[in-house]
Amino acid sequence: MRKIHVLVVEDDADLREAIVDTLEVSGINVEGVGDGESAIAWLNKSECELIISDVNMPGMDGYQLLRKVASGWPHIPVLIMTAYGSISNAVEAIRNGAVDYLEKPFSTDKLTNVVERFIRITPESHEPVAVDRETISVFQLAKRVAATDSSVMIMGESGTGKEVLARYIHRHSARSEKPFVAINCAAIPENMLEATMFGHEKGAFTGAHQSNAGKFEQANGGTLLLDEVSEMDIGLQSKLLRVLQEKEVERIGGRATISLDVRVLATTNRNLRREVEKGNFREDLYYRLCVFPLLWKPLRERKDDIIPLALRLIENKQTANKRIVLDVGAEWRLLQHTWPGNIRELDNVIQRALILCNDGIITADDIFIPEDDMHGISLDSAESEEAAAGALGEDLKKREFEVIIDTLKAVNGSKKQTAEKLGISPRTLRYKLARMRDYGIDVERVCA
């Protein structure tokens, strides 16, 4: 018998769909029906861990359904929704066997918090955190586009978790049982990226001691993620475009073509339209990849996600025999910060907090955010010397960033020419640009 987490019984189709979508993006398996009779028919064929039911419905109302469930399926808790919110309605629901009630209208986080008290989400669930209204909207769009084979461009700042969204699209697509292969275009040296993507035959170049399949071949039948595709050299972009158009690839040093059936997703932390205007990104490739654009907002614009994300990070890092919680003061500290490094920075803060906390409780004092904690602190002489050294380091870093920005402006944003003028490798430059973005510097904007 098929089993899910939650069955939603609601005659208002729009509200039913909204509840289903909200719970699904929180990693909860859920189905919805429109009335009590349909709920009973569903329960005769399937199982669930929780029923959420409206009170006022045509035919069998919520209280009648509640009594039917108590008689036939006493192990299933029922959560009642009421638009009236009166004490008498709440008492009536509890007397009839409801485990709790929700007063309409209720927020998405109120809904998920109440539901998660009564269900068990298995460790295998990899559904991302989505509580903020903006985040839920993005995941709803992502789920709809996942049902197609369209190329998707995910745009957002570094550290926001763009790959998480890409994996979500793959898991909800018809290709979910096939490979998901990611390639970080910013982390692989330009002279190796082509071979990594397309593969190579033995002897194709110095060091090619054996044939290797490229990422496109490895992803055949599944999904390929081109992470930070805007970092790709424009010469290689034309070769990528040909592979996407012809749906076939030829290994470096090879003669045979290999047919491809790959769904391509891409991410960028840049304004790609502006990169096209600057001549740094091919316009035809832009349109090939950006069939369906998704904007992934920074953490500072998704405030309602901060605490749930922190709790998920804590859950992932804590041991089975030690439960760790956040107190109210710690939550307040997390909500006051602007998170220029996004989720990557939040992860670092949580790791420090887990080291500092005592008795399984993370307090405000355990939330150590260096930039915030330096404000208004009086130091003694020894600490002043250390702070002066730190300040000097920050000044040098700031000056380095200014030099990089000035050089980029001088060469119209060309990373290749910037690296040459600065006497550093393109890979080193990519690393420094990534660090600048982690510091909250919008490189594209300041260089425009």
Side-chain angles (χ1 to χ4, degrees):
M1 181 176 282
R2 190 171 61 98
K3 186 171 184 177
I4 65 167
H5 288 132
V6 178
L7 175 66
V8 177
V9 189
E10 170 60 65
D11 61 311
D12 184 328
D14 290 338
L15 178 57
R16 183 172 70 246
E17 183 179 1
I19 294 171
V20 168
D21 287 344
T22 298
L23 296 177
E24 281 185 336
V25 296
S26 297
I28 298 169
N29 298 323
V30 58
E31 285 195 12
V33 295
D35 53 61
E37 290 83 359
S38 298
I40 295 299
W42 188 94
L43 287 168
N44 283 323
K45 298 178 181 178
S46 305
E47 290 185 0
C48 64
E49 294 181 49
L50 175 69
I51 296 171
I52 304 176
S53 176
D54 191 17
V55 170
N56 295 293
M57 297 183 291
M60 184 186 298
D61 67 19
Y63 295 132
Q64 292 172 312
L65 174 62
L66 185 59
R67 287 190 286 270
K68 287 272 189 182
V69 172
S71 173
W73 299 270
H75 61 286
I76 302 177
V78 179
L79 179 65
I80 288 293
M81 298 181 289
T82 173
Y84 304 104
S86 68
I87 297 297
S88 60
N89 284 331
V91 171
E92 178 73 12
I94 301 300
R95 281 178 177 170
N96 279 275
V99 292
D100 206 341
Y101 78 104
L102 281 168
E103 178 185 350
K104 296 178 183 178
F106 44 81
S107 64
T108 55
D109 55 341
K110 173 69 173 177
L111 171 66
T112 52
N113 288 339
V114 172
V115 168
E116 287 176 355
R117 296 208 315 261
F118 302 104
I119 67 169
R120 302 179 302 278
I121 301 179
T122 61
E124 295 81 50
S125 174
H126 299 290
E127 294 304 306
V129 171
V131 175
D132 191 274
R133 187 182 300 274
E134 293 283 352
T135 310
I136 291 172
S137 176
V138 170
F139 277 111
Q140 288 172 346
L141 286 173
K143 191 171 184 180
R144 293 176 67 178
V145 76
T148 73
D149 247 358
S150 298
S151 298
V152 179
M153 178 66 71
I154 304 170
M155 299 169 285
E157 293 180 7
S158 294
T160 50
K162 296 188 290 294
E163 185 172 336
V164 171
L165 187 57
R167 290 182 180 276
Y168 178 88
I169 292 171
H170 173 71
R171 284 199 306 277
H172 288 82
S173 73
R175 299 173 180 267
S176 59
E177 300 300 319
K178 299 295 183 179
F180 176 91
V181 178
I183 177 169
N184 190 329
C185 301
I188 300 174
E190 290 175 9
N191 61 339
M192 291 300 297
L193 186 55
E194 181 178 359
T196 303
M197 283 200 302
F198 306 141
H200 62 81
E201 297 293 353
K202 181 179 179 180
F205 48 82
T206 302
H209 301 302
Q210 60 183 21
S211 298
N212 275 324
K215 297 294 185 181
F216 269 96
E217 284 183 71
Q218 295 171 28
N220 218 351
T223 304
L224 177 68
L225 171 63
L226 299 172
D227 198 16
E228 304 301 354
V229 69
S230 51
E231 302 296 325
M232 186 181 296
D233 179 75
I234 197 161
L236 185 53
Q237 291 175 26
S238 60
K239 298 179 181 179
L240 171 62
L241 178 64
R242 181 190 172 281
V243 170
L244 296 178
Q245 288 174 334
E246 303 298 327
K247 296 184 179 179
E248 61 182 26
V249 67
E250 185 177 304
R251 292 181 182 179
I252 297 175
R255 296 183 179 180
T257 57
I258 301 163
S259 296
L260 295 174
D261 174 25
V262 178
R263 199 249 185 99
V264 176
L265 309 177
T267 73
T268 179
N269 55 23
R270 296 170 175 269
N271 183 326
L272 210 53
R273 184 70 257 181
R274 190 178 297 164
E275 292 300 301
V276 171
E277 294 170 356
K278 290 180 179 179
N280 296 331
F281 201 84
R282 291 181 63 106
E283 186 173 30
D284 43 10
L285 180 59
Y286 169 81
Y287 286 116
R288 174 69 63 171
L289 293 174
C290 201
V291 175
F292 196 98
L294 286 174
L295 178 61
W296 195 222
K297 291 197 173 182
L299 193 54
R300 62 183 173 274
E301 295 180 26
R302 297 186 280 132
K303 287 283 189 181
D304 288 344
D305 283 341
I306 293 174
I307 302 305
L309 279 167
L311 294 173
R312 174 68 66 85
L313 290 168
I314 291 170
E315 179 185 346
N316 291 342
K317 298 175 192 303
Q318 66 188 4
T319 58
N321 59 352
K322 186 178 181 182
R323 181 167 176 78
I324 299 173
V325 298
L326 286 169
D327 75 2
V328 175
E331 291 185 358
W332 184 87
R333 283 294 309 275
L334 293 174
L335 290 171
Q336 299 311 302
H337 190 54
T338 56
W339 303 107
N342 291 295
I343 299 172
R344 190 179 298 145
E345 182 186 3
L346 177 61
D347 191 12
N348 290 340
V349 170
I350 293 301
Q351 287 190 57
R352 287 195 289 265
L354 289 171
I355 295 170
L356 295 171
C357 74
N358 294 310
D359 301 322
I361 301 174
I362 296 176
T363 68
D365 291 338
D366 302 321
I367 303 299
F368 175 59
I369 305 174
E371 306 93 283
D372 293 351
D373 290 347
M374 286 302 294
H375 294 301
I377 295 179
S378 177
L379 305 174
D380 61 25
S381 57
E383 290 174 325
S384 297
E385 291 180 10
E386 184 178 345
L392 177 59
E394 287 299 315
D395 286 341
L396 291 172
K397 188 179 297 178
K398 180 180 178 182
R399 179 56 187 152
E400 180 186 64
F401 290 171
E402 290 173 350
V403 170
I404 291 172
I405 290 170
D406 290 342
T407 308
L408 278 166
K409 286 180 177 179
V411 297
N412 296 318
S414 169
K415 294 188 294 297
K416 184 177 180 181
Q417 293 181 47
T418 298
E420 290 173 353
K421 283 182 173 291
L422 295 175
I424 58 178
S425 69
R427 185 174 186 177
T428 299
L429 177 61
R430 285 196 295 271
Y431 170 78
K432 291 183 180 296
L433 292 174
R435 291 289 294 146
M436 291 167 70
R437 294 184 187 104
D438 287 344
Y439 271 78
I441 300 172
D442 187 342
V443 180
E444 289 69 42
R445 183 180 62 79
V446 297
C447 292

